[in-house]
Amino acid sequence: MKDSQPLLQVNDLQVSFKTDESQVRAVRGVSFDVHPGETVGLVGESGSGKSVTNLAMMGLVPKPPGRIDGGRVMYDGKDLLTLNERQMQSIRGRRIAMIFQDPMTALNPLMTVGQQLTEMTRLHLGLNKREANRKAAEMLELVGLSGAEKRLRDYPHQFSGGMRQRVMIAMALSCEPDLLIADEPTTALDVTIQAQILDLLRDLQQRRGTSIIMITHDLGVVAEVCQRVLVMYAGRVVEQADVQSLFAAPKHPYTLGLLNSLPRFDQSSHTLEAIPGQPPDLGNLPAGCSFRPRCPWAVDACANEDPRLVTMDQDRQVACLVAQETANV
Amino acid sequence: MSDSTQTEGTRAADSVTADPPLLSVQDLHVQFPFSRGSFLNPHHGVIRAVDGLSFDIREGETLALVGESGCGKSTTARAIINLVHPTSGRVRLCGTDITGLGDRAMMPHRRVVQMVFQDPFASLNPRMTVGNIIGEPLVVHRLASGKDRKLEVLRLMDLVGLNPRFLNRYPHEFSGGQRQRIGIARALAVQPKLILCDEPVSALDVSIQAQIINLMMDLQQQLGLSYLFIAHDLSVVRHIATRVGVMYLGRLAEIGEAESVYSHPTHPYTEALLSAVPVPDPVLAATRQRIRLVGEVPTPDREHVGCSFADRCPLVVDRCRVDRPPQEQVVQTSQLHTVACWERGK
Ligand SMILES: Nc1ncnc2c1ncn2[C@@H]1O[C@H](COP(=O)(O)OP(=O)(O)OP(=O)(O)O)[C@@H](O)[C@H]1O
Ligand SMILES: Nc1ncnc2c1ncn2[C@@H]1O[C@H](COP(=O)(O)OP(=O)(O)OP(=O)(O)O)[C@@H](O)[C@H]1O
Ligand SMILES: [Mg+2]
Ligand SMILES: [Mg+2]
């Protein structure tokens, strides 16, 4: 899979927001590739820039207060960051689709679910009203919303949290995109429906070779569907590895802390091990490594040098001076 | 379990002598009317979002509600605090009947029971700063003003892991998980006795999730807080819950002490649910078997005379389709663990 040309290449992406007190550097030089048919997991601290990275790729960061400070997003020979809104519209939804983290802001409260589901397929696939309605009902069926036709005339507020989330999934899948960006797609779903949705994504991938960027904090979901994982902290990728090695031997202290915080389904211990300390303020980052104030391994050098993402072995990259040091000896 | 008989003994004694439970929900029904079909040929009906639900929550306890998406968990919580009005049934808070109270009458009770909403995006006022959002309940209930209020807000922000420097920011300037923590800080502000938490940690990374769960459990120990905890993450539920109720289509399929439900899942729906939990282990994930539910996912817009799970149940017998199984059938392993199933309840 890695021998193929990447479908998408993100290179040194930087995004910031202007707020009253500071310039918040939400994404600080993120680079990664997505290959055809691959599922890349994106995990990390809440507020570390996972959503903003992907919104920026789709041209959806509100400007102002947002600003793209640099980088390139190469797709199909073009840098998506240089396209105008009209060019972007022919890609968004059709070639690259996104399942948004917050269904309530992504769905239009004044339009019925049916109208929103058919809008995309009429626009991008040129379906007529009848065909689009049939397609919409079929998509809702696929995501486990039964009695689908009956509910096409309902408004989003009449749906439960998980039902809205599935409407968004149905919308994103209805044009069979090349790349699907799924931002916490299953947080509001019970595990049986979650399993059904993950099957649906796998099926789409096998049938169509769709690539998926799966943003999730659910490491169980990562273990089940991703081949490769990126771990983000404070606007940077701090570790990248294939899924087996990441779980078997995390190299970055943040990744390690994350895995240690997990409540395990098979046991009910008492206190969970949270990573100590506060998440960083992106408008006012410390010098050196941004994880240093919370890091159990920190040495003096960490205060001076902001570690780069360095390739360690075949498929593993880590941004930590101590981890890099240990690997060298 | 040797102590289950003893617990049962004390509970039986409680019901005669001791205080009423903090929250008691009896035979709760919530229906949403709808009309569909064409203008000339309308079709009216009701969605039975909550369809006969009973449970208690005692002081210092966490009852988790889990179950299929759309089975009525959020509606149950909203009905308890009268954000939607129950169609029938009774809700008692500390023994006082609060069923269907209007906003005004509900006010004093909101100091006792607070809610953390499922959708942090939609539930925060976009025009208020975070400081004002968290401080508002302090104003409404006249608990603190001026400098004290600000200090209290800063303390709450620190408690839930929000950087106090963000005091004057607006909700849209926060990530998903950060907004969820704003909702939690706001609910804690009035120091309630009971918090209804609707997916309070679902948008958080596991480290902050651990931090919030530890915080909730600490507060429970220190202040005797109780929680109704709605969640999909069954590992989190196992960790935090004293008791677990498994809902299916507006009803309880099974309810019991967390340990008992996890080690002896009895309702066929609970079994399917527990087998589908994703495990954070790529090797195990590739080999594990899960029970797949077949059959049409039922809709809450028709009345189920029998068991609502009958159409998808591997154990179904004729009786299930005509007779509704009562919620109170005791499971052998524990007196406090009951199941609504004709086949498994006997
Ligand atoms: N409009 C905005 N103004 C100011 N800051 C913003 C804005 N939007 C996002 N941010 C900040 O950018 C950072 C990255 O946000 P992002 O939504 O990408 O986080 P995330 O990794 O998706 O987190 P989560 O897991 O909680 O969803 C956050 O710290 C957030 O506070
Ligand atoms: N205002 C409303 N009008 C009409 N139907 C509604 C309304 N609110 C909820 N419902 C319906 O009631 C049922 C139960 O919804 P509820 O939000 O309680 O589910 P839930 O168990 O919280 O699900 P989830 O896990 O997906 O959040 C759903 O079928 C939903 O469509
Ligand atoms: Mg996000
Ligand atoms: Mg809900």
Side-chain angles (χ1 to χ4, degrees):
Chain A
M1 207 180 289
K2 295 296 285 286
D3 308 327
S4 60
Q5 276 290 318
L7 177 73
L8 180 91
Q9 279 182 297
V10 179
N11 212 317
D12 199 26
L13 182 66
Q14 300 180 36
V15 186
S16 64
F17 293 95
K18 189 170 168 31
T19 66
D20 285 347
E21 71 277 17
S22 56
Q23 190 75 15
V24 173
R25 300 183 59 204
V27 180
R28 303 185 297 136
V30 164
S31 306
F32 64 94
D33 295 349
V34 181
H35 291 260
E38 183 184 34
T39 303
V40 178
L42 193 51
V43 303
E45 175 104 345
S46 167
S48 61
K50 304 181 294 294
S51 298
V52 172
T53 298
N54 288 279
L55 290 172
M57 286 160 31
M58 300 277 282
L60 292 175
V61 166
K63 302 176 212 170
R67 193 174 76 196
I68 309 287
D69 297 320
R72 288 192 306 171
V73 178
M74 299 305 294
Y75 173 81
D76 205 11
K78 290 185 282 264
D79 179 358
L80 296 184
L81 299 181
T82 63
L83 300 188
N84 64 30
E85 181 54 26
R86 218 175 53 84
Q87 292 167 313
M88 210 48 220
Q89 263 169 16
S90 66
I91 293 183
R92 209 188 289 140
R94 174 76 191 92
R95 311 284 300 276
I96 307 181
M98 183 152 179
I99 301 169
F100 293 89
Q101 186 172 6
D102 54 327
M104 255 338 227
T105 32
L107 294 174
N108 183 337
L110 302 178
M111 272 166 78
T112 67
V113 164
Q115 285 167 335
Q116 302 187 58
L117 269 166
T118 51
E119 197 181 28
M120 276 287 171
T121 49
R122 294 188 70 177
L123 178 74
H124 288 309
L125 304 182
L127 302 187
N128 66 32
K129 196 169 169 191
R130 260 280 279 299
E131 294 162 338
N133 273 330
R134 194 169 336 118
K135 176 90 186 168
E138 184 187 307
M139 291 310 299
L140 287 181
E141 200 69 54
L142 275 179
V143 295
L145 283 177
S146 62
E149 284 108 317
K150 281 189 280 177
R151 301 214 71 165
L152 284 175
R153 290 202 208 169
D154 280 356
Y155 290 88
H157 78 267
Q158 294 171 305
F159 279 45
S160 80
M163 293 160 88
R164 279 176 215 142
Q165 203 164 31
R166 282 178 283 165
V167 168
M168 292 238 310
I169 295 172
M171 271 167 77
L173 297 185
S174 60
C175 295
E176 308 213 325
D178 299 333
L179 172 65
L180 176 70
I181 301 174
D183 195 350
E184 303 282 6
T186 58
T187 40
L189 304 181
D190 68 275
V191 287
T192 58
I193 291 174
Q194 172 171 288
Q196 184 183 341
I197 298 287
L198 298 182
D199 282 346
L200 184 67
L201 295 182
R202 264 189 290 254
D203 176 63
L204 183 74
Q205 194 155 50
Q206 265 153 24
R207 225 164 20 85
R208 291 264 352 246
T210 309
S211 308
I212 301 175
I213 298 177
M214 175 70 77
I215 307 175
T216 178
H217 62 85
D218 187 333
L219 297 171
V221 170
V222 171
E224 293 214 355
V225 302
C226 298
Q227 284 100 48
R228 210 151 46 85
V229 188
L230 304 168
V231 182
M232 282 188 74
Y233 188 83
R236 290 241 164 122
V237 174
V238 294
E239 179 158 7
Q240 152 158 215
D242 73 83
V243 67
Q244 260 98 4
S245 4
L246 190 91
F247 280 88
K251 290 274 195 288
H252 193 282
Y254 174 69
T255 316
L256 192 66
L258 211 55
L259 291 175
N260 284 341
S261 311
L262 263 183
R264 289 295 299 245
F265 176 62
D266 34 20
Q267 60 204 47
S268 60
S269 68
H270 262 295
T271 318
L272 296 172
E273 270 184 61
I275 300 170
Q278 287 276 356
D281 175 1
L282 297 172
N284 191 18
L285 282 168
C289 171
S290 46
F291 190 58
R292 180 181 53 89
R294 306 171 71 186
C295 181
W297 301 351
V299 295
D300 289 349
C302 302
N304 309 321
E305 197 182 328
D306 195 358
R308 308 244 49 137
L309 197 60
V310 170
T311 306
M312 313 223 348
D313 35 66
Q314 317 101 335
D315 247 353
R316 168 87 64 141
Q317 293 180 307
V318 182
C320 168
L321 294 178
V322 179
Q324 288 158 9
E325 195 68 7
T326 356
N328 285 339
V329 289
Chain B
M1 272 216 248
S2 62
D3 61 9
S4 75
T5 44
Q6 195 199 338
T7 335
E8 178 60 13
T10 34
R11 201 173 83 132
D14 273 359
S15 55
V16 240
T17 55
D19 302 336
L22 184 58
L23 178 77
S24 148
V25 173
Q26 273 165 21
D27 201 27
L28 186 72
H29 287 78
V30 183
Q31 302 181 347
F32 297 105
F34 67 81
S35 47
R36 297 209 181 86
S38 64
F39 178 69
L40 293 173
N41 184 15
H43 160 65
H44 301 284
V46 290
I47 290 179
R48 296 177 162 74
V50 181
D51 195 25
L53 202 62
S54 306
F55 59 84
D56 287 353
I57 299 181
R58 306 192 152 259
E59 218 156 284
E61 140 177 291
T62 301
L63 173 68
L65 275 187
V66 303
E68 190 147 37
S69 165
C71 71
K73 302 177 297 295
S74 300
T75 306
T76 301
R78 300 173 77 90
I80 290 171
I81 54 167
N82 288 309
L83 290 178
V84 296
H85 291 305
T87 312
S88 65
R90 282 279 155 263
V91 179
R92 289 194 182 80
L93 190 64
C94 309
T96 313
D97 192 337
I98 58 164
T99 321
L101 291 188
D103 261 358
R104 275 287 267 288
M106 213 26 222
M107 250 290 269
H109 300 290
R110 295 234 154 91
R111 267 207 73 183
V112 182
V113 52
Q114 278 283 317
M115 179 153 173
V116 177
F117 291 90
Q118 178 170 17
D119 199 334
F121 299 91
S123 62
L124 301 174
N125 184 340
R127 272 176 279 281
M128 275 166 80
T129 64
V130 172
N132 287 334
I133 289 175
I134 300 174
E136 190 186 34
L138 296 172
V139 181
V140 173
H141 294 280
R142 300 205 180 82
L143 295 176
S145 56
K147 193 141 185 261
D148 288 343
R149 182 163 83 230
K150 186 170 171 196
L151 284 176
E152 179 59 13
V153 169
L154 291 174
R155 187 187 72 85
L156 288 163
M157 288 179 76
D158 187 59
L159 207 59
V160 298
L162 281 173
N163 198 317
R165 290 174 50 107
F166 299 164
L167 189 69
N168 294 320
R169 284 208 197 160
Y170 292 89
H172 74 270
E173 300 179 321
F174 288 89
S175 76
Q178 289 166 336
R179 283 181 233 194
Q180 208 163 30
R181 279 175 277 165
I182 300 172
I184 295 173
R186 180 183 155 94
L188 288 173
V190 299
Q191 305 184 348
K193 283 193 177 156
L194 171 66
I195 306 185
L196 313 178
C197 308
D198 196 356
E199 307 265 4
V201 293
S202 64
L204 303 179
D205 68 81
V206 286
S207 170
I208 291 171
Q209 179 177 296
Q211 197 180 319
I212 298 283
I213 289 173
N214 288 341
L215 168 72
M216 288 177 63
M217 291 174 85
D218 283 352
L219 290 171
Q220 183 160 57
Q221 291 217 307
Q222 287 164 25
L223 310 170
L225 267 183
S226 307
Y227 301 108
L228 177 73
F229 191 90
I230 299 173
H232 286 303
D233 186 327
L234 295 168
S235 315
V236 168
V237 165
R238 172 159 216 180
H239 191 84
I240 197 167
T242 334
R243 286 191 302 137
V244 179
V246 181
M247 277 182 76
Y248 190 82
L249 219 60
R251 303 177 184 172
L252 274 173
E254 179 163 3
I255 185 167
E257 306 107 304
E259 259 328 296
S260 181
V261 172
Y262 276 76
S263 48
H264 304 284
T266 304
H267 196 283
Y269 176 66
T270 315
E271 283 180 328
L273 198 65
L274 292 183
S275 80
V277 176
V279 282
D281 178 341
V283 185
L284 207 63
T287 57
R288 207 174 44 116
Q289 285 296 316
R290 67 168 202 262
I291 305 172
R292 267 164 224 264
L293 289 175
V294 289
E296 182 86 349
V297 185
T299 44
D301 60 359
R302 75 180 168 94
E303 190 169 358
H304 292 266
V305 264
C307 171
S308 45
F309 191 57
D311 292 343
R312 301 168 82 192
C313 182
L315 307 176
V316 64
V317 295
D318 288 346
R319 182 179 192 183
C320 308
R321 300 195 195 276
V322 288
D323 249 355
R324 175 171 173 174
Q327 194 190 302
E328 295 80 20
Q329 304 181 75
V330 170
V331 171
Q332 271 160 12
T333 49
S334 157
Q335 290 297 306
L336 300 178
H337 183 169
T338 60
V339 65
C341 173
W342 289 124
E343 279 300 288
R344 288 288 174 75
K346 26 185 202 206

